[in-house]
Amino acid sequence: MFKIALNAGHGLYTAGKRCLKSIDPNETREWSLNSRICRKIEEKLARYTGYELIRLDDISGETDVALKKRTDKANEFGAQFYLSIHHNAGIKGGEGGGVIAIVYPRVDNTTLEWQKELYTAVIEQTGLKGNRSVPLSKQDLHELRESNMPAVILECGFMDSRIDTPIILTENFADSVAEACVSVLVKRGGLTLKKSGNEATTPKNDVIYQVWEDVGNRWLPNVKNLEDYAGIFGRDVCCVFANLTRGNIIYKVHTKGGRWLPEVRNREDYAGIFNRPIDAVMMKTDTGEKLSYAVHLRRQKRWLPFVDGYSELNSNNGYAGIIGQEIDAIKIYFKE
């Protein structure tokens, strides 16, 4: 049985731990962001067996539990991994930021593996790489120093960054971070997926997709789910072509400097216009399953967080992309 100690940093009323008011008028508290990710981690882990989990913070947020109580609780529990979720600050309204994974300065290779795998998974899921000079950091912090097991603090973006804050406030970002953390916990902890009893009658659905790029003026090979991404970094995507192994996928694209083009279904047509770069895409299915998709921005050289909505009016979760920013790669998969 793999034992996990999970911690949402600080408390709801901890002084100063909040988003910058000039960026987030609600001044969302850090604990609220931390706890939302922890809650999603617990929900996603519930699909698996082979683990025990303990929360180290006050799940109501009313009390900022002392750090010593948190590490003592993890040690007494006999945790085999300690994961502490935080959000960062220090940019004061600047445009820097990104995710940081922190470990104690003197740790073994196992802890360093946890650090690297968590950071890599979160970046792959969210694209919030930012520009921090030491994304894999070593610091002498109480949680890392006093815990008797491999421990990692994840700083999930900056609450005073003009780039990070609008992203980390979204539900989809929290879901993507949680999904990344769970994927690493499952792999390294040896967790197994619970049997649902209907595997034989409900085959797994796949999304198969490809894009047309404007440098080689060609369709790139098909990609399935997250086995790869569709696109070549540095080359604009102009068209998208997709289908499912079961049911229908409906999708459309927005051309840079232009408009949303009519939606298409499966491979009855492709979405886009040759030699017209796209800057946004939206997708949905008629199967009742949750389809998630993300795009890579050519000029900013980063992945945006996965989205699962379908609305031209919702720039946070209704489509993937930023109007005016060319796309050079796309990823699509079904959430379980």
Side-chain angles (χ1 to χ4, degrees):
M1 193 67 67
F2 187 70
K3 292 189 173 184
I4 304 164
L6 182 63
N7 181 57
H10 308 292
L12 184 58
Y13 306 111
T14 305
K17 303 296 183 180
R18 65 185 71 185
C19 292
L20 192 65
K21 188 174 184 178
S22 61
I23 304 173
D24 172 24
N26 294 323
E27 293 184 277
T28 304
R29 305 276 182 156
E30 181 185 346
W31 180 86
S32 297
L33 299 175
N34 299 340
S35 182
R36 180 172 63 172
I37 292 175
C38 287
R39 172 176 53 80
K40 288 178 176 290
I41 288 174
E42 291 186 85
E43 291 172 353
K44 293 176 184 296
L45 279 174
R47 300 174 298 182
Y48 297 88
T49 62
Y51 75 96
E52 293 180 42
L53 183 144
I54 188 172
R55 279 284 291 268
L56 306 177
D57 57 304
D58 173 5
I59 61 173
S60 73
E62 293 297 317
T63 302
D64 186 352
V65 179
L67 291 178
K68 186 176 187 305
K69 288 186 177 180
R70 301 191 195 216
T71 53
D72 284 351
K73 190 175 182 180
N75 293 337
E76 291 167 5
F77 178 61
Q80 293 162 275
F81 183 63
Y82 186 118
L83 176 60
S84 188
I85 301 296
H86 287 254
H87 288 73
N88 222 328
I91 294 175
K92 300 179 181 179
E95 295 187 352
V99 173
I100 299 176
I102 310 170
V103 297
Y104 188 63
R106 296 182 295 278
V107 292
D108 58 13
N109 286 335
T110 299
T111 303
L112 294 176
E113 289 169 2
W114 276 105
Q115 178 192 32
K116 183 176 181 180
E117 290 188 30
L118 280 167
Y119 175 79
T120 300
V122 171
I123 295 303
E124 287 179 350
Q125 284 281 351
T126 68
L128 199 64
K129 186 174 183 179
N131 63 352
R132 305 311 292 171
S133 59
V134 188
L136 298 177
S137 178
K138 294 181 178 181
Q139 298 181 34
D140 185 0
L141 301 173
H142 178 96
E143 287 185 273
L144 306 174
R145 183 181 63 249
E146 301 302 326
S147 50
N148 295 337
M149 69 293 300
V152 176
I153 293 176
L154 272 181
E155 296 278 5
C156 303
F158 282 69
M159 299 181 294
D160 56 353
S161 164
R162 290 198 299 271
I163 291 177
D164 287 12
T165 303
I167 294 173
I168 66 180
L169 288 173
T170 65
E171 195 77 21
N172 195 71
F173 175 79
D175 194 76
S176 296
V177 173
E179 191 70 41
C181 292
V182 168
S183 70
V184 177
L185 289 167
V186 168
K187 174 187 172 183
R188 296 192 63 87
L191 280 54
T192 56
L193 193 63
K194 291 179 179 177
K195 299 292 185 181
S196 63
N198 64 349
E199 290 85 355
T201 58
T202 307
K204 180 180 180 295
N205 204 357
D206 296 309
V207 54
I208 298 99
Y209 54 103
Q210 62 185 138
V211 301
W212 194 92
E213 55 91 2
D214 72 340
V215 176
N217 291 323
R218 62 189 174 118
W219 287 102
L220 296 177
N222 278 311
V223 174
K224 183 171 73 173
N225 305 323
L226 293 181
E227 292 179 358
D228 200 351
Y229 56 83
I232 298 176
F233 292 161
R235 301 187 179 188
D236 291 333
V237 168
C238 298
C239 305
V240 180
F241 213 17
N243 68 279
L244 308 179
T245 54
R246 185 182 69 252
N248 298 303
I249 181 172
I250 300 95
Y251 54 104
K252 60 182 177 177
V253 302
H254 187 277
T255 58
K256 182 174 181 280
R259 61 184 175 87
W260 285 102
L261 299 179
E263 67 180 24
V264 299
R265 180 184 298 265
N266 303 322
R267 295 188 185 239
E268 295 172 0
D269 198 354
Y270 56 83
I273 301 172
F274 290 156
N275 297 315
R276 289 286 301 276
I278 65 172
D279 53 14
V281 60
M282 64 170 68
M283 299 180 170
K284 64 180 179 179
T285 76
D286 63 1
T287 67
E289 299 162 288
K290 187 69 74 173
L291 191 70
S292 288
Y293 53 101
V295 300
H296 189 272
L297 302 181
R298 175 174 63 79
R299 284 184 285 166
Q300 294 190 16
K301 297 180 180 180
R302 67 184 179 101
W303 287 100
L304 294 179
F306 279 94
V307 300
D308 54 30
Y310 191 88
S311 171
E312 297 176 13
L313 303 178
N314 183 354
S315 60
N316 286 326
N317 193 46
Y319 57 84
I322 297 176
I323 303 301
Q325 293 286 328
E326 301 92 338
I327 292 167
D328 58 8
I330 296 175
K331 295 190 288 191
I332 318 170
Y333 78 107
F334 278 105
K335 284 187 177 180
E336 294 183 359

